[in-house]
Each structure stands twice: as structure tokens, then as C-alpha cells.
């Protein structure tokens, strides 16, 4: 599976931001010329010029880069201010307030369910106060108009909320299917790649622990594979309970990986040793069977410009040495490097 497919929400919002920037930039330019030269609304026209420039900046920026949260927030708030100010300054016959109905769609698509809900409510209340404060709503003061306008806004709001809620829910389900190991609920290999390449932007102080349960095959042979699966679930829970920072991944069979961000060589080694000792001293009671496990661990530190593949291999090499040395122990990649250096000097 392409890791880019996991960024569907980001891609959607970036496209919406880009093309809304273009469309609103064109419309704001037209309205700016009209208000400056025809209606003589200097303040509104000047703000529309600034808004148009900002929209075109967003359009050209998002053609080659991912949009930022602040750009979406600024666009939505700026547009809301323009529509609100236009409603306040203009005659009711201009029906500029009709643009209010477009706001919920934009809020939800660009900012998500929670922020979209609050901004839609604020926009509705603000426009209602402005309209009701006008000395006259002629010729639009009929109860029929007020009901139609209110229900139209509420309907668009409700549809936007329902759509975004469903989209976010199904998107999360698909992401879980793609990123989680179905047996243990730990992250899988794709989740490791996603974390390393996308989420962990600052990799300074990042360590990886490769863990392999010792003689796990004997559990499957003696108790059966169903018991083995339950042991894997229990061990995953054990790891998660002892990690205050970092993530657990199951990368195959009885092999796990843990990322430790913002750590140091001694801290990562101490954590690995503590994890090994605690697992060795813990009895897992499953179906009235007392299961005791040990684990071999290889530890590696991220080095600049290192790929995930080479990062994992260094930890894997250390894990291999831990097994060769009798299992139930921790070996670090930097310890292996020191041994190699001493061997080279001796030769």
C-alpha cells in the first residue's frame, strides 16, 4: 500500500484550500473593483483587495506545497469578516448575506468537525444579530423569507456536519485497517514507515528497539496457536503499559519494535534492560496457565540521513547478537560498533 494514501484528508483539504483560494481570489477582485469604483465602500473594497492577494498567495503556495493550518483558519475567518462587514454596511437589497450559506461547507472541509461546528454557530448568530439590528428589512421582512433563509442555512450546516463526521469516521476506520496489526492492535510495518517518514519530523534522539520473544515456538507447540495468539496480545499490552513515550509495532510473528523519541544512549539502554527484566519476572496467567517469557532486544540510535531500512537493520544486527549470546539480554548497535573498532585496531 502506498503510504501517500494514508494522507487522504490532508490531500483533500489541500486541494480545497488551493482551488478555494483561486476562486475566492477572483471573486474578491471583482467585488473589490465594484465596491471601490461603484458603491464607494472604501473600507470593504480595501479589505477585499487584501483578501484577494491572500487568496492568490494561497493558490500559488499550495500548488507546490502542503497548505498550513493557519492558512485555512485565516482564509475562513477573513471571509467571514468580509461577509459580516458587507452585510452590516450594505443595503439589505444587495442580499450579500446570502453568502453566509456557503460558510459551513468551507469551515467543515478545511477545518474539520469541531472547529466547523463552532465557526458555523458564530457566523449564524453574528449574521442574525446584524440583520435584526437593521432599521428595516424591506422588502425582505416577510416571515416566509426569514424562515426560508434560516432553514437553508441550517440544512447546509447539518449536511456539512454529517458529511464531515462520516468522512472522518470512515477515514479513521480505513487508517486503522491499514496501520494496525489485526491480532494485537499494535502498529504494523506500514505504521512504522508512516511514523518514521511522516510523524517523526525531528529524528534527533530517536532510538529503535527490536524485540524477539525467546523460544516462543515452544509455546505454540505446547499450548497451541490460539494460546500463542493470546500471549502475543498480552505481551503487547505489557509493552504499552510500560511506555510513557514511544510506540509499539508488531512486525511479524513474535518480533516487535519500539520507537523511543527524544532519548539518549544510556536512557534507551536502561529502558530496554528494565523492560527485559520486568517481562522475565512477570507471570502471565492465561486460561489457568502460568506463562513466563523472556525477550532479546537490539537497540540502535538514528543517525542523520539514515533510511528506515538501515535503521532497522542496525537494531536487527544487535538483536541477532543478543540471541547469539544466550538470549534474554540487550545488545546495542553502538556497543557492536565499539567492538568492531577494537577488533580493527587489534588486527
Amino acid at each position: 500500500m502506498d503510504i501517500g494514501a494514508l494522507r487522504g484528508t490532508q490531500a483533500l483539504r489541500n486541494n480545497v484550500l488551493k482551488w478555494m483560494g483561486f476562486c475566492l481570489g477572483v471573486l474578491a477582485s471583482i467585488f473589490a473593483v465594484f465596491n471601490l469604483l461603484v458603491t464607494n465602500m472604501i473600507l470593504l473594497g480595501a479589505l477585499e483587495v487584501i483578501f484577494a492577494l491572500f487568496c492568490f498567495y494561497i493558490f500559488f503556495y499550495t500548488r507546490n506545497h502542503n497548505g498550513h493550518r493557519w492558512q485555512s483558519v485565516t482564509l475562513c475567518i477573513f471571509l467571514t469578516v468580509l461577509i459580516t462587514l458587507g452585510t452590516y454596511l450594505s443595503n439589505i437589497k444587495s442580499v450579500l448575506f446570502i453568502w453566509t450559506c456557503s460558510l459551513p461547507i468551507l469551515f467543515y472541509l478545511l477545518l474539520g468537525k469541531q472547529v466547523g461546528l463552532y465557526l458555523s454557530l458564530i457566523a449564524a448568530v453574528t449574521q442574525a444579530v446584524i440583520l435584526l439590528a437593521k432599521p428595516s428589512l424591506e422588502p425582505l421582512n416577510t416571515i416566509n423569507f426569514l424562515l426560508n433563509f434560516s432553514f437553508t442555512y441550517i440544512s447546509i450546516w447539518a449536511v456539512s456536519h454529517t458529511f464531515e463526521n462520516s468522512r472522518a469516521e470512515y477515514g479513521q476506520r480505513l487508517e486503522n485497517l491499514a496501520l494496525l496489526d489485526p491480532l494485537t492492535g499494535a502498529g504494523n510495518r506500514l505504521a512504522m514507515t508512516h511514523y518514521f517518514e511522516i510523524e517523526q519530523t525531528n529524528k534527533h534522539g530517536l532510538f529503535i528497539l527490536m524485540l524477539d520473544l525467546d523460544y516462543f515456538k515452544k509455546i505454540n507447540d505446547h499450548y497451541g496457536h490460539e494460546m500463542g495468539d493470546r500471549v502475543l496480545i498480552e505481551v503487547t499490552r505489557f509493552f504499552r503499559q510500560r511506555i510513557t513515550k514511544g510506540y509499539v509495532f508488531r512486525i511479524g510473528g513474535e518480533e516487535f519494535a519500539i520507537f523511543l523519541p527524544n532519548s539518549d544512549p544510556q536512557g534507551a539502554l536502561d529502558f530496554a534492560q528494565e523492560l527485559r527484566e520486568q517481562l522475565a519476572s512477570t507471570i502471565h496467567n492465561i486460561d489457568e496457565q502460568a506463562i513466563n517469557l523472556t525477550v532479546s532486544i537490539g537497540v540502535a540510535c538514528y543517525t542523520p540521513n539514515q533510511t528506515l531500512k538501515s535503521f532497522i537493520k542496525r537494531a536487527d544486527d544487535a538483536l541477532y547478537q543478543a540471541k547469539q549470546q544466550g538470549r534474554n539480554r540487550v545488545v546495542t548497535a553502538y556497543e557492536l560498533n565499539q567492538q568492531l573498532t577494537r577488533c580493527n585496531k587489534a588486527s
Side-chain angles (χ1 to χ4, degrees):
M1 180 178 180
D2 181 8
I3 192 141
L6 298 175
R7 292 177 281 176
T9 297
Q10 181 181 351
L12 169 66
R13 288 182 176 159
N14 196 69
N15 274 327
V16 172
L17 182 62
K18 178 173 68 174
W19 291 109
M20 286 307 301
F22 176 77
C23 294
L24 290 174
V26 172
L27 291 173
S29 300
I30 295 172
F31 278 112
V33 172
F34 181 77
N35 287 321
L36 289 173
L37 301 181
V38 179
T39 63
N40 203 33
M41 292 184 179
I42 305 301
L43 175 60
L44 185 59
L47 288 175
E48 286 169 340
V49 170
I50 297 173
F51 182 64
L53 292 174
F54 178 70
C55 287
F56 286 128
Y57 153 73
I58 287 179
F59 172 70
F60 287 109
Y61 181 88
T62 51
R63 290 179 67 185
N64 301 311
H65 306 86
N66 287 324
H68 298 289
R69 178 79 169 177
W70 71 265
Q71 293 171 330
S72 298
V73 172
T74 304
L75 180 73
C76 290
I77 293 177
F78 206 152
L79 180 61
T80 304
V81 169
L82 284 178
I83 294 174
T84 304
L85 183 63
T87 302
Y88 177 76
L89 295 176
S90 64
N91 188 289
I92 194 68
K93 293 180 181 179
S94 69
V95 294
L96 193 149
F97 57 87
I98 290 293
W99 281 91
T100 308
C101 292
S102 68
L103 292 178
I105 301 173
L106 195 62
F107 293 159
Y108 278 91
L109 283 176
L110 288 180
L111 302 176
K113 181 178 67 174
Q114 187 172 9
V115 178
L117 175 64
Y118 294 141
L119 288 183
S120 296
L121 179 61
I122 292 171
V125 172
T126 304
Q127 286 291 67
V129 170
I130 291 174
L131 289 173
L132 293 175
K134 283 186 174 291
S136 173
L137 294 178
E138 291 286 351
L140 305 176
N141 59 344
T142 64
I143 189 68
N144 186 51
F145 162 76
L146 293 175
L147 287 175
N148 278 310
F149 177 68
S150 300
F151 289 158
T152 298
Y153 184 85
I154 292 172
S155 298
I156 293 173
W157 184 0
V159 170
S160 300
H161 186 87
T162 302
F163 172 81
E164 177 59 23
N165 187 56
S166 299
R167 188 207 60 76
E169 181 181 337
Y170 284 111
Q172 187 61 53
R173 288 183 185 178
L174 289 173
E175 186 170 315
N176 288 341
L177 287 172
L179 295 179
L180 298 183
D181 172 54
L183 175 63
T184 63
N188 57 21
R189 282 187 174 271
L190 183 61
M192 283 184 68
T193 304
H194 184 265
Y195 175 82
F196 183 81
E197 295 184 358
I198 307 300
E199 294 186 30
Q200 195 64 26
T201 53
N202 180 14
K203 297 181 178 62
H204 178 72
L206 178 65
F207 286 75
I208 185 172
L209 279 62
M210 298 296 292
L211 309 94
D212 191 87
L213 301 180
D214 297 329
Y215 306 111
F216 184 76
K217 186 176 183 299
K218 291 183 178 180
I219 294 177
N220 282 332
D221 293 341
H222 189 268
Y223 298 104
H225 288 279
E226 183 177 349
M227 173 65 80
D229 288 347
R230 296 188 62 180
V231 169
L232 290 173
I233 295 171
E234 185 64 29
V235 168
T236 302
R237 186 182 299 114
F238 175 91
F239 289 154
R240 281 176 167 166
Q241 290 173 347
R242 284 154 180 81
I243 295 178
T244 55
K245 58 177 183 178
Y247 298 87
V248 180
F249 305 91
R250 182 186 176 212
I251 56 178
E254 65 273 20
E255 193 170 2
F256 294 82
I258 295 176
F259 275 128
L260 289 180
N262 305 316
S263 190
D264 57 79
Q266 190 59 48
L269 176 60
D270 290 345
F271 173 80
Q273 290 285 17
E274 183 179 355
L275 195 65
R276 180 191 64 79
E277 292 169 2
Q278 288 181 355
L279 183 63
S281 62
T282 299
I283 302 298
H284 303 278
N285 293 302
I286 303 174
D287 286 346
E288 301 181 354
Q289 299 291 336
I291 306 295
N292 180 242
L293 296 161
T294 61
V295 64
S296 301
I297 304 176
V299 183
C301 174
Y302 175 78
T303 57
N305 302 317
Q306 189 174 41
T307 64
L308 177 60
K309 184 177 180 180
S310 61
F311 191 21
I312 292 174
K313 185 179 186 306
R314 289 176 58 233
D316 250 337
D317 291 342
L319 173 60
Y320 176 78
Q321 286 300 317
K323 292 179 180 180
Q324 291 294 102
Q325 294 174 22
R327 302 177 187 265
N328 189 24
R329 63 186 64 241
V330 177
V331 174
T332 65
Y334 28 100
E335 178 184 338
L336 294 180
N337 288 338
Q338 291 172 353
Q339 293 175 2
L340 181 62
T341 300
R342 286 196 297 267
C343 290
N344 289 336
K345 287 182 178 179
S347 60

